[in-house]
Amino acid sequence: MMTIRSRFYKKGDMVFISHLDLIRVFERAVRRAEIPVSYTQGFNPRPIMAFATALGVGVASEGEYIDIQVSEKIDADLFTEKLNNVLPEGLKIIKSIGISKKEKSLMSIISSSTYLVKFKTKNNFSKEQMEESLKNFLAFDSIIDLKEKKKKTHQKNKRPEFREVNIRPLIKEITLFSVEGSEVIFKMHLAAGSEGNLKPEIVVGKFAELMKIAIEEDEIRIQRLDLLKKEDGKYMTPLDKVDIVE
Amino acid sequence: MYNCEPIADFIDIAVLGEAEEVILEITDLYRRLKKSNYSKQEFLKEAAQIGGIYVPSLYDVNYNEDGTVNSVVPKYEGIPKTIRKRVIQNLNEVYYPEEIIVPYLNIVHDRIMMEIFRGCIRGCRFCQAGIIYRPVREKSFDRLQEITKNLVTNTGYDEISLASLSTSDYSQLEELVRHLIDEYGSKKVGISLPSLRLDNFSLQLIEEIQKVRKTGLTFAPEAGSQRLRDVINKGITEEDLVNAAENAFHSGWSSVKLYFMIGLPTETDEDLMGIKDLAFKVVDAYHRTPREKRGKGLNVTVSASTFVPKPFTPFQWEPQATLDEIHEKQKLLISQLKHKNITFNYHDSRTSVLEAVFAKGDRRLSKVLEIALEEGCKFDGWIEHFDFDKWMRIFEKANIDPDFYANRPREYDEVLPWDHIDVGVSKAFLIRENKNAKAEKVTANCRTSCAGCGVNQIFTGGIC
């Protein structure tokens, strides 16, 4: 038995596949690739696999991660090759490594994520203007977002309740990547995973609201660059600094 | 579809029977005619020469004064008087899709569908499929192994459904299931066996299958009393059902589904009470099963659908029960099946009325469909979009009486709107079977003895 940790991308048409569908794609793929995976016990056995986080529908990603438990030892490069032979276009394993049993789960180690976020403003801005706005935005100590409380099924008709959340601590860094006419691209580093999660589109919305910049709300495009863990104060990918098992 | 008369005004050609071969013959013809300067009429006339191709517009339908069909005659010389369905002689050689589209979304039938044979040896008298897909033709065990291997490798699905009209009648079912378990069990590819019969319900087989992936269990006694099961030629007994249920409980199941039809020919309240008796006997079988063996939380689901008489069956002459009669029957069952472990499901019988009208309809019904479309009827299969009263108004507007089609008993010598369609089974056989039904006489399955339905005279040279 051994666990293989892989980094993969999800882009092109695949951005429209939901997380649940993605799980099934991988389940079928390991079977097509004839990879000897371990299965859960019970009436409805499933391949033992775990993703780092769920990626929203419509969001592309260069850096997604998955742990797959195999029942027999398999060379990590061969594993990559076999899966890539059967995965649909838009999904591709970039790198795999066999990891030690002592490694913590992907879900528990992920603490942040980097994104490129593209949006359109209604008026044109210069690079300097945009940089100034971004600086002012980040200067806030607190940025309050109203988050709708989840309702239980029997409360479906209840009026929505909101909770105030300060999202500023969840923003690690935002830099201006480019401005071309009305098209702006931010690079963001935001909290992700179990210790707080912030969606880039919320940040863009707040930025537009507080900086009084009108944007085309339907035209926000998001690409995740990577998922990161933090060890000894440094951010790194889940494939860095792990006990590798050959 | 074999009775396409109700949509005759809308379709140019209909393929009767199995299309794998004939579809290529049609495209060949089309390709050939397209090269020359062809007219549509020319194409249709030529297509009508191909076996199994029915071109409704090439026939005149004459009616009697009472509204019944007098005759269906070809408009031109050289157009066949009757159209015989097509069958594939050798299922081992016919194309079968082994590279299929695997959707990302969860769909219905999200699994490998492996057809193991066509046709059915049983001859249940209500069942259209059991007649029109005759003769019985099996795929060989070797071919099935090959198909499964390709499908599993190409799709990665975790379930294989062995599809046929009566899966347990496949002559090498046990070998096949063992092979599938040996070969794919370690990959956790499960097997589902829909339409298993109770009489040769093999508990061991089912238990083996359960080790890979657990599935639900459905039995279809179809009718509540032995008398009525004899009428419909469903050759299973109460003992079969109770034994099967008890075996299932012993293997750890705690929920079973029972399928019935109501409104069957000759049905009385006594037969309906038989449904209740069966359901309660299944409940008893559960309680007889030792606690440590059976699963927790008994649930017996009883489903009763409304019988729709279908063309090409021994019941094609029978009327459908009226809406009021069906409601009475449903009410009786609702009151009788009150038990904490029994769930009773039934359908809106008004959709079954439309089903009966169009199943046994003639081409005058095309008019009804045309008006219905104009009046905005669509997605009627979804109950929230189904407006029965609107349909009734449309029938009135088209000057068509739905009862004439659904609730009228036919005489054996009446010309039926689909009599020019030849499915290989003779009308004489269907009449004989209709009489047997009335006499509560069971007809043996085709393997036990040939009932002389006629299909082997046409398609298999005397043997099935």
Side-chain angles (χ1 to χ4, degrees), chain A residues 14 17 21 24-25 27-28 31-32 34 39 42-46 88-89, chain B residues 102-106 153-158 186-189 212-214:
Chain A
M14 285 298 126
I17 307 288
D21 292 334
R24 279 192 295 268
V25 167
E27 286 179 359
R28 289 192 296 259
R31 226 177 270 112
R32 287 204 296 270
E34 308 211 342
Y39 286 89
F43 290 147
N44 192 19
R46 315 213 75 99
E89 209 182 309
Chain B
V102 181
Y104 296 116
L105 300 175
N106 239 351
T153 325
N154 290 336
T155 65
Y157 270 135
D158 63 4
S186 60
K187 279 177 140 186
K188 303 295 170 197
V189 179
V212 183
R213 211 168 270 279
K214 194 146 187 145

Side-chain angles (χ1 to χ4, degrees), chain B residues 241-247 249-250 278-290 294 298:
Chain B
L241 174 73
V242 175
N243 282 344
E246 198 161 343
N247 284 339
F249 294 141
H250 267 271
L278 274 183
F280 278 81
K281 276 175 184 163
V282 169
V283 172
D284 292 342
Y286 175 82
H287 291 300
R288 272 202 304 280
T289 311
R294 69 192 191 202
L298 170 67

Side-chain angles (χ1 to χ4, degrees), chain B residues 50-334:
Chain B
I50 301 174
I53 299 290
Y54 174 43
V55 182
S57 61
L58 298 181
Y59 295 82
D60 278 323
V61 181
N62 306 305
Y63 300 95
N64 297 312
E65 259 175 43
D66 64 1
T68 56
V69 175
N70 178 278
S71 63
V72 178
V73 284
K75 283 182 184 166
Y76 309 99
E77 219 170 288
I79 303 298
K81 283 200 188 69
T82 59
I83 307 95
R84 178 172 290 166
K85 76 165 180 192
R86 288 287 288 264
V87 301
I88 301 297
Q89 295 289 354
N90 189 338
L91 286 192
N92 292 324
E93 285 162 18
V94 75
Y95 166 79
Y96 196 73
E98 292 171 41
E99 285 182 7
I100 56 174
I101 292 170
V102 181
Y104 296 116
L105 300 175
N106 239 351
I107 56 160
V108 283
H109 301 303
D110 207 6
R111 59 184 79 94
I112 292 171
M113 293 298 250
M114 194 166 66
E115 182 190 41
I116 58 177
F117 68 99
R118 288 183 195 172
C120 182
I121 63 168
R122 294 289 157 180
C124 300
R125 291 178 182 131
F126 55 84
C127 179
Q128 189 186 42
I131 299 290
I132 60 179
Y133 294 122
R134 289 180 181 211
V136 171
R137 289 145 296 148
E138 294 192 343
K139 276 190 182 149
S140 72
F141 182 31
D142 287 348
R143 176 74 181 121
L144 289 178
Q145 291 182 43
E146 192 182 310
I147 294 174
T148 339
K149 187 160 188 273
N150 291 338
L151 277 170
V152 171
T153 325
N154 290 336
T155 65
Y157 270 135
D158 63 4
E159 191 179 346
I160 304 168
S161 179
L162 302 185
S164 74
L165 293 174
S166 177
T167 299
S168 34
D169 288 327
Y170 182 66
S171 54
Q172 284 172 282
L173 183 66
E174 196 167 333
E175 291 95 314
L176 178 62
V177 169
R178 294 220 184 279
H179 163 78
L180 296 178
I181 292 170
D182 292 346
E183 199 71 17
Y184 305 107
S186 60
K187 279 177 140 186
K188 303 295 170 197
V189 179
I191 302 161
S192 69
L193 302 176
S195 49
L196 267 194
R197 281 182 67 87
L198 305 174
D199 49 2
N200 51 4
F201 179 83
S202 164
L203 178 70
Q204 280 170 327
L205 210 59
I206 296 290
E207 274 190 344
E208 288 286 322
I209 290 170
Q210 292 311 304
K211 285 179 191 158
V212 183
R213 211 168 270 279
K214 194 146 187 145
T215 54
L217 208 50
T218 304
F219 300 126
E222 312 288 4
S225 70
Q226 194 59 50
R227 186 200 70 79
L228 193 53
R229 281 194 297 273
D230 289 348
V231 169
I232 64 176
N233 205 37
K234 186 90 188 177
I236 55 162
T237 63
E238 180 181 306
E239 209 190 327
D240 293 332
L241 174 73
V242 175
N243 282 344
E246 198 161 343
N247 284 339
F249 294 141
H250 267 271
S251 328
W253 264 280
S254 60
S255 81
V256 293
K257 285 187 195 155
L258 304 175
Y259 275 13
F260 294 96
M261 268 182 289
I262 54 173
L264 286 162
T266 79
E267 185 179 78
T268 63
D269 283 357
E270 222 172 291
D271 300 309
L272 295 177
M273 294 304 279
I275 294 178
K276 174 206 175 173
D277 290 346
L278 274 183
F280 278 81
K281 276 175 184 163
V282 169
V283 172
D284 292 342
Y286 175 82
H287 291 300
R288 272 202 304 280
T289 311
R291 212 171 277 274
E292 63 276 13
K293 291 216 162 145
R294 69 192 191 202
K296 267 188 206 130
L298 170 67
N299 187 13
V300 179
T301 305
V302 176
S303 291
S305 54
T306 305
F307 168 66
V308 178
K310 296 276 170 69
F312 308 108
T313 68
F315 288 157
Q316 64 179 348
W317 295 278
E318 301 299 325
Q320 186 180 45
T322 62
L323 267 181
D324 289 343
E325 287 166 349
I326 294 293
H327 285 154
E328 285 306 312
K329 289 170 195 285
Q330 287 175 340
K331 254 174 31 199
L332 178 70
L333 284 175
I334 293 167

Side-chain angles (χ1 to χ4, degrees), chain A residues 58-77:
Chain A
V59 182
S61 176
E62 290 288 338
E64 292 299 294
Y65 295 86
I66 182 174
D67 282 349
I68 298 178
Q69 194 178 311
V70 289
S71 56
E72 291 164 28
K73 272 214 160 141
I74 177 169
D75 175 70
D77 290 340

